[in-house]
Amino acid sequence: MSHLHWVAITEGLLESVWVVDPETLHILAVNEAALRLLGARRDEVVGSPVHRWASDLQDHVYWDEWRRGVVQTLESEAMLVRRDGELLRVQRRIGPVRPADGATVVLVAMQDLTEYQRTQQRLEELLAELRAVLESSSDGILVCDLDGRVRAFNRAFAQMWALPTTLLTTPDDPALLRHLAASVSDASAFQARLSELQRAPLMEAHDIVLLRSGRMLERASRPQLARGRPIGRIHVYRDVTERAAIDAKLRLAAKVFESSLDAIVVTDPERRIVACNPAALRLTDRANDDPAGQPVATLLDAPNRPGWEAEVAAALAERGYWEGELWLRRAHAPAVALLVSWVLLRDAQGQPLNTVLFAKDLSEKLEAQRRIEQLAYHDPLTGLPNRLLLGERVAHAVRLAQRSGRGFAVLFLDLDRFKGINDSLGHAFGDRVLVEVAQRLQRCLRQTDTLARLGGDEFVIHLHDADRSAAERTAQRIIDAVARPVTIDEMQFTLSCSIGIAMYPHDGTTLDELIQCADTAMYQVKERGKGHWRFYQAEMNAHLLARIQTDHAMRLGLQHGEFELHYQPRVDLRSGRVTACEALLRWHRPGHGLVLPGAFIGVAEETGLIAQLGQWVLEQAVAQARRWADAGRPAQVAVNVSALQFEQTQFVQDVADTLQRHGLPAGLLELELTESILVRDAEEALAKLQALAQLGITLSLDDFGTGYSSLTYLKRFALHRLKIDRSFVLALHEDGQADAAIVAAIVQMGHALGMEVVAEGVEHAPQLQRLQALGCDHFQGFWYARPLPVAEVEAHLGRAVTLPGAAPAPSA
């Protein structure tokens, strides 16, 4: 076939075509596309060797094979040399063609790859840019096709979802979806949402995904479109955990700003008001008047610091904050004290942005402080100064007295029998009495004097610039004022008080010393009948100290066995024999010898030790009576009972337990009681006496005739004996008619009430004879025997006594 026919055949092709002679390797024909590709004319190409335009080594090898008769087909990319020397990459296919009516030729078909390569490179660049964008995004991006298969995801997505390494290197869509479902807090809801999006390929959605780790992801799902048609879906995940926290903080800050009880004011850099919270508006009394725009200084003031504005400005500029107290001016209300914290806010460049003023109303604090000071220096009940304020005033008075050389007085006042009011009418009633007394005392004093309440019913008075005469007049005026009748709730009664007086500097130079001395003097008044005043004397302290030491020594003496009992025999005038004895306490005090009860019983009663001493005496006396009974010398033992011991709730039980513990018949124990015991609480005393009598114990009334017992009470009480006080017996031997009449009356009354009568203190024979003549039943006293130790008294038990004017009694 002629090469001209090849031109006609190939001219309509888009590809560039050469027809090459396989023997000469010359180009026989080209089409127009080939000429455009080579940039040459036809006459320059046709007839030229093929190597002129093919530059690849592969082409040279291929064409050499043709020369050697090796027929083969080649398809590859190759470099082509244009006429101007430019190299072009082409996709070519070389192969033999055998026309039916001609010789074999080689057909070279080529396609220019320049534009394709340019397009490919551009696509690669776009893909690279897209990948870079994806990887540089802080959002996690997941790309899926319409069937939900994963096409791509970026590194942020992998980190956000903590994808394992296997899913990063090996595509596994089911495993990836399982991992996502396992990472969320609600897997079923997560998968249901993905299915919903897959069923609606054009739907856009925004929602929140909560991970099990506590992170919060915001998801934006959009369709991926190509030529207006959906080809997949892009899921963009953004970690909004921090943003949500910040939003929550902002909402909280706004809520705090609105609901804060403290006033908050925001200003611009020139300190003009920008915003106020409701508390600030309420505080400024401008709830309906917005103060925005006006200088905040117009609302504030500091009367004691005229330059406060400059001080605030300098502190804000230097330190960024200022703290202090300011006063808030108010149009329709009094000014308010504020505790202000003022802070300067700056922008990123350090320029002043705003100031924030935090203010706390100090009204309650100032009132509380005033109240605290009131409580710290005053008595809460009466409003009088307390000891602290009294101390300050007396200290000031001491300094004045040291300069002037003049003294002053301190009075210690205690109401008499005030405890009875509290116990019977209640503490609330007692408090009202104290308020009334405080007002009366205040009216008795000058403005320069100080009345203080120490507590309870104790008051201390500082008389400024007063001598002994002024102190006497004031004390008497107070006693008279307190003694006036008191009427509360239609109840009228009378009070009295006892006052001790100490003088500065004679009795002390400090408040404590003066109060101690005045208290000691007041105590002496209490002992001498109450309702009076007395000046302190130095020997008072010595007496008080002696009583304190005696009390301490008695308590130690009980522990160390320094006490013992002596027994005074008692004679039965009817039989003439010693049938009983009275147990009397003795104290072998180290350094003092044998101490009789008169020297220490009073102290024991005052301190309450008498109850413990009485129990010890009861224990020892019962034990001794048991030993005498066991020795064949049974004798009744009389034990004195104090009022405090008798008032003990368990007294009757203690006596019963003591008898049982030692196995002593109750008839061998006699308890001697005083009249004060019986009249203090008659009903309680009656119940106890009946219980003791039921035990079989003998009960006697000691010192009869010296108290105030009622004959009605005496008739009711289960008593067995009356003991005539020694004061009525002393004058019987001197023919004392009055005392004899009293003794006769007691004897007759006792016998009339079925009681025996005992006379004590019998020291002379005529006394005894008169008692016998008056019908007295028993006696004891020095005429027969003094109180004796156990070893000596045993010889008298059961002995017959020769009475005056009688024949000697037979020996026992």
Side-chain angles (χ1 to χ4, degrees):
M1 180 183 291
S2 170
H3 66 277
L4 295 176
H5 292 90
W6 289 110
V7 172
I9 294 173
T10 61
E11 197 62 44
L13 298 177
L14 294 177
E15 293 181 331
S16 299
V17 178
W18 299 345
V19 179
V20 181
D21 186 344
E23 295 181 0
T24 63
L25 300 183
H26 282 209
I27 297 174
L28 299 176
V30 293
N31 64 357
E32 190 63 31
L35 294 176
R36 289 194 301 270
L37 183 63
L38 295 174
R41 298 187 305 273
R42 191 179 296 276
D43 59 346
E44 291 176 331
V45 179
V46 175
S48 64
V50 71
H51 293 300
R52 161 74 177 79
W53 311 100
S55 66
D56 275 6
L57 178 62
Q58 186 181 23
D59 289 295
H60 291 280
V61 174
Y62 177 78
W63 295 115
D64 287 344
E65 292 288 335
W66 271 97
R67 283 179 177 175
R68 290 196 298 270
V70 178
V71 179
Q72 58 181 339
T73 299
L74 176 64
E75 184 175 356
S76 66
E77 291 184 9
M79 298 303 296
L80 194 68
V81 181
R82 285 171 53 87
R83 178 177 178 275
D84 57 7
E86 181 184 356
L87 296 177
L88 295 177
R89 180 167 291 278
V90 295
Q91 179 73 31
R92 52 84 183 279
R93 185 177 187 281
I94 307 173
V97 178
R98 299 179 179 87
D101 56 350
T104 299
V105 294
V106 179
L107 187 66
V108 180
M110 295 172 291
Q111 186 175 7
D112 187 358
L113 294 180
T114 303
E115 190 61 32
Y116 171 77
Q117 287 180 332
R118 188 179 293 114
T119 302
Q120 190 71 21
Q121 182 178 357
R122 180 58 181 160
L123 288 175
E124 290 178 359
E125 291 174 354
L126 288 175
L127 287 174
E129 290 174 0
L130 178 59
R131 174 58 63 181
V133 170
L134 288 176
E135 293 302 333
S136 63
S137 174
S138 60
D139 295 337
I141 299 174
L142 174 67
V143 182
C144 300
D145 61 15
L146 291 177
D147 295 326
R149 290 188 292 269
V150 177
R151 289 162 54 186
F153 57 80
N154 65 351
R155 185 181 295 106
F157 176 84
Q159 294 173 347
M160 197 175 293
W161 287 89
L163 296 183
T165 305
T166 55
L167 293 179
L168 298 178
T169 57
T170 304
D172 188 342
D173 290 357
L176 176 62
L177 293 176
R178 286 195 301 271
H179 176 81
L180 298 183
S183 300
V184 298
S185 58
D186 189 345
S188 59
F190 178 77
Q191 292 174 334
R193 186 59 168 165
L194 290 180
S195 299
E196 181 183 0
L197 293 173
Q198 187 175 342
R199 290 192 300 270
L202 292 177
M203 184 172 66
E204 294 188 5
H206 290 80
D207 48 17
I208 297 296
V209 178
L210 297 178
L211 303 185
R212 290 181 182 273
S213 62
R215 308 299 292 177
M216 180 184 295
L217 304 181
E218 181 183 60
R219 178 174 59 191
S221 298
R222 298 182 180 88
Q224 186 181 18
L225 303 176
R227 297 179 182 180
R229 297 175 62 84
I231 61 172
R233 180 170 290 279
I234 299 176
H235 302 280
V236 180
Y237 292 91
R238 177 170 294 172
D239 191 335
V240 294
T241 307
E242 301 301 330
R243 189 183 75 188
I246 293 172
D247 289 345
K249 289 180 180 178
L250 290 175
R251 288 193 297 272
L252 178 61
K255 187 174 182 180
V256 169
F257 180 80
E258 291 297 322
S259 60
S260 174
L261 298 179
D262 292 341
I264 304 175
V265 179
V266 181
T267 77
D268 60 16
E270 286 72 36
R271 293 185 288 284
R272 290 187 296 266
I273 296 175
V274 173
C276 298
N277 71 339
L281 295 176
R282 289 193 300 270
L283 192 60
T284 57
D285 197 26
R286 298 189 178 200
N288 300 319
D289 181 15
D290 189 358
Q294 69 182 90
V296 70
T298 60
L299 302 177
L300 302 174
D301 191 17
N304 299 326
R305 299 199 309 276
W308 71 271
E309 290 186 63
E311 176 188 337
V312 170
L316 292 177
E318 294 174 8
R319 302 190 303 271
Y321 69 92
W322 179 86
E323 289 184 342
E325 292 186 8
L326 294 173
W327 286 85
L328 173 66
R329 299 191 186 102
R330 300 197 292 183
H332 307 293
V336 176
L338 301 177
L339 177 62
V340 176
S341 297
W342 210 327
V343 181
L344 175 65
L345 304 181
R346 299 180 183 272
D347 59 17
Q349 289 71 41
Q351 297 301 313
L353 186 63
N354 295 97
T355 73
V356 182
L357 183 148
F358 302 90
K360 183 184 290 292
D361 186 355
L362 292 180
S363 301
E364 293 185 3
K365 178 181 177 182
L366 293 178
E367 175 59 24
Q369 184 175 348
R370 186 198 65 78
R371 179 60 179 160
I372 290 172
E373 291 178 355
Q374 173 73 15
L375 294 175
Y377 288 97
H378 292 81
D379 171 51
L381 175 63
T382 62
L384 296 175
N386 60 10
R387 184 167 187 142
L388 183 60
L389 181 54
L390 175 67
E392 292 184 359
R393 294 186 179 179
V394 170
H396 178 68
V398 167
R399 291 192 293 270
L400 292 178
Q402 289 173 344
R403 291 196 297 267
S404 65
R406 307 182 67 175
F408 58 84
V410 170
L411 282 62
F412 193 102
L413 181 149
D414 185 271
L415 296 179
D416 299 328
R417 294 175 292 277
F418 179 73
K419 184 177 182 298
I421 294 177
N422 265 345
D423 292 346
S424 59
L425 300 175
H427 289 280
F429 190 91
D431 288 346
R432 295 173 66 185
V433 173
L434 291 174
V435 172
E436 170 65 23
V437 169
Q439 293 172 352
R440 294 187 181 189
L441 297 179
Q442 196 73 61
R443 289 193 289 267
C444 296
L445 304 176
R446 303 164 297 176
Q447 290 185 348
T448 55
D449 300 330
T450 299
L451 170 64
R453 178 176 177 238
L454 298 190
D457 60 337
E458 295 179 343
F459 297 84
V460 174
I461 301 167
H462 164 241
L463 294 181
H464 176 70
D465 195 14
D467 56 13
R468 292 176 65 92
S469 177
E472 290 179 9
R473 292 194 300 273
T474 302
Q476 189 58 53
R477 188 161 58 246
I478 289 173
I479 287 176
D480 294 341
V482 172
R484 291 198 301 271
V486 178
T487 302
I488 296 178
D489 292 342
E490 300 181 356
M491 177 179 292
Q492 192 173 69
F493 53 91
T494 303
L495 295 171
S496 65
C497 65
S498 301
I499 301 175
I501 307 173
M503 303 299 298
Y504 174 89
H506 182 267
D507 299 327
T509 57
T510 67
L511 176 62
D512 288 343
E513 292 175 355
L514 293 169
I515 288 180
Q516 180 180 352
C517 293
D519 185 23
T520 301
M522 185 275 298
Y523 181 82
Q524 295 291 323
V525 175
K526 291 279 190 182
E527 284 194 332
R528 287 165 172 75
K530 306 179 179 63
H532 196 56
W533 53 267
R534 187 171 186 180
F535 282 97
Y536 170 75
Q537 297 175 351
E539 58 269 19
M540 292 179 179
N541 267 348
H543 176 67
L544 182 60
L545 179 61
R547 297 174 74 89
I548 294 174
Q549 292 174 337
T550 299
D551 175 64
H552 179 66
M554 281 192 294
R555 295 178 188 276
L556 292 179
L558 267 179
Q559 298 175 14
H560 299 156
E562 297 173 4
F563 288 92
E564 70 168 327
L565 292 182
H566 285 194
Y567 297 88
Q568 187 173 37
R570 188 167 69 201
V571 180
D572 187 339
L573 289 172
R574 295 164 300 187
S575 66
R577 292 184 178 275
V578 177
T579 57
C581 59
E582 180 180 0
L584 298 170
L585 187 62
R586 298 293 184 265
W587 180 20
H588 292 277
R589 184 177 181 183
H592 294 76
L594 186 66
V595 183
L596 298 180
F600 62 84
I601 288 297
V603 176
E605 289 177 341
E606 177 188 334
T607 62
L609 183 62
I610 189 66
Q612 189 176 349
L613 276 175
Q615 181 61 34
W616 183 88
V617 170
L618 177 66
E619 188 78 25
Q620 300 301 315
V622 170
Q624 184 60 55
R626 175 65 188 184
R627 286 191 290 271
W628 284 335
D630 291 343
R633 294 176 177 272
Q636 190 178 60
V637 177
V639 175
N640 289 279
V641 177
S642 69
L644 183 61
Q645 183 182 5
F646 186 81
E647 289 173 356
Q648 301 299 308
T649 305
Q650 72 281 8
F651 174 70
V652 175
Q653 187 62 46
D654 288 344
V655 174
D657 292 344
T658 303
L659 291 173
Q660 183 178 9
R661 187 162 49 251
H662 296 284
L664 181 70
L668 292 180
L669 176 64
E670 178 182 347
L671 297 181
E672 295 189 2
L673 312 171
T674 62
E675 294 181 28
S676 61
I677 294 177
L678 305 182
V679 300
R680 183 170 299 184
D681 189 336
E683 296 303 322
E684 182 179 354
L686 177 61
K688 288 184 177 180
L689 291 177
Q690 289 175 344
L692 292 170
Q694 290 174 359
L695 292 175
I697 297 171
T698 301
L699 302 174
S700 64
L701 185 61
D702 197 13
D703 300 333
F704 183 76
T706 61
Y708 305 94
S709 59
S710 166
L711 294 180
T712 302
Y713 287 159
L714 191 62
K715 182 178 68 174
R716 294 176 61 196
F717 294 141
L719 297 173
H720 303 92
R721 293 193 179 103
L722 293 179
K723 294 193 72 174
I724 304 173
D725 186 72
R726 65 190 315 115
S727 61
F728 299 117
V729 176
L730 289 177
L732 288 181
H733 69 290
E734 300 174 354
D735 199 20
Q737 296 299 321
D739 289 334
I742 292 174
V743 171
I746 293 174
V747 171
Q748 292 175 11
M749 181 185 66
H751 288 168
L753 294 175
M755 291 184 284
E756 295 179 351
V757 181
V758 180
E760 57 182 353
V762 179
E763 299 180 0
H764 305 285
Q767 295 172 339
L768 181 56
Q769 290 173 336
R770 293 292 298 271
L771 289 170
Q772 285 180 295
L774 293 173
C776 186
D777 303 301
H778 307 272
F779 84 91
Q780 64 187 70
F782 289 0
W783 180 86
Y784 176 71
R786 295 173 177 270
L788 301 171
V790 173
E792 298 180 25
V793 77
E794 288 180 350
H796 294 270
L797 298 180
R799 173 185 294 181
V801 179
T802 302
L803 300 175
S811 59

